[in-house]
Amino acid sequence: MGMGTSNFVIRWINFLTMLLAIAVVIFGVWMSTHHDGCRKSLTLPVLGLGAFIFVISIIGFLGALKKNSILLWIYLILLCIILVAILVFTVLAFIITNNGSGHNVSGLRYKEYQLKDYSSWFLKQLNNTDNWKRLRSCLVKSEDCNNLAKQYRTLKQYKMAKLTPIEAGCCRPPSDCGYPVVNASYYDLSFHPISSNKDCKLYKNTRAVKCYNCESCKAGVAQYMKTEWRVVAIFNLALFVVLSIIYFVGCCARRNAGRTRESKV
């Protein structure tokens, strides 16, 4: 790749990533204005990511613009660190999300989930009292369970519904409890449960309780997290390929900058 071409590509790539970094920082600031534990917990990582992308983009842009081999060296080292971090995270994400899947239940169009099926990392995170207290608060505020009655107005509609893992685990008692369904948000708890599952006694029809303290709810969250992590891992693979190409172009720009410097000497 020629000197002019590689420097031109590096300049424009880093100019675009600077704009992306600014957008990420703005999004992080917007998240900080929301006081619920879900969004607020992600504020610092988002701001940190945006700031890091912005800094590395400036270094790469200036290095290519000035044909400065030192700046390009710094840029390539930081980019290499990002590539290694993405690769490590992606491998760990696939390992962590390798276990766990839903169980089909006769007469239902959705699956039920059991916490024991998931990786030890998920178990540790979800069984941590502070972590679950924060997640439980998010689930209650999300109103997902209370909206089921609005979405499925008849018992037939509710029984034919394809609930999400969180709705299936947190908004209703496990099917093996045998509680008769009155509507999408109410079960007849006067019926004696036919199962020894401890979740049967934890479920309440109260909107702030539901099955949020149940193992089935934690399993539903684990399945949701597994799906999200898989999506992120696949995205990271694509990002890894793109950044590897950028790294290659950056190597060409640094080499050409070094040659230019030597010719001037």
Side-chain angles (χ1 to χ4, degrees), residues 150-192:
K150 300 176 183 178
Q151 293 177 356
Y152 311 109
R153 298 186 179 278
T154 66
L155 192 58
K156 183 178 179 181
Q157 288 178 337
Y158 180 55
K159 289 183 175 181
M160 294 297 293
K162 297 185 71 173
L163 302 182
T164 66
I166 290 179
E167 290 172 344
C170 303
C171 304
R172 50 180 293 281
S175 58
D176 58 3
C177 297
Y179 290 132
V181 185
V182 178
N183 58 47
S185 62
Y186 194 89
Y187 286 76
D188 184 2
L189 302 184
S190 64
F191 183 83
H192 185 72

Side-chain angles (χ1 to χ4, degrees), residues 189-244:
L189 302 184
S190 64
F191 183 83
H192 185 72
I194 59 177
S195 172
S196 59
N197 190 337
K198 64 179 182 180
D199 286 352
C200 298
K201 294 183 179 180
L202 292 174
Y203 176 83
K204 303 296 179 185
N205 286 313
T206 309
R207 61 186 299 172
V209 179
K210 292 296 182 180
C211 215
Y212 294 129
N213 294 318
C214 300
E215 292 286 296
S216 63
C217 185
K218 292 180 180 180
V221 173
Q223 178 63 27
Y224 170 81
M225 292 172 66
K226 173 185 174 179
T227 303
E228 292 295 300
W229 275 54
R230 279 293 176 95
V231 171
V232 171
I234 294 172
F235 172 79
N236 279 346
L237 284 177
L239 183 61
F240 182 83
V241 173
V242 173
L243 290 179
S244 296

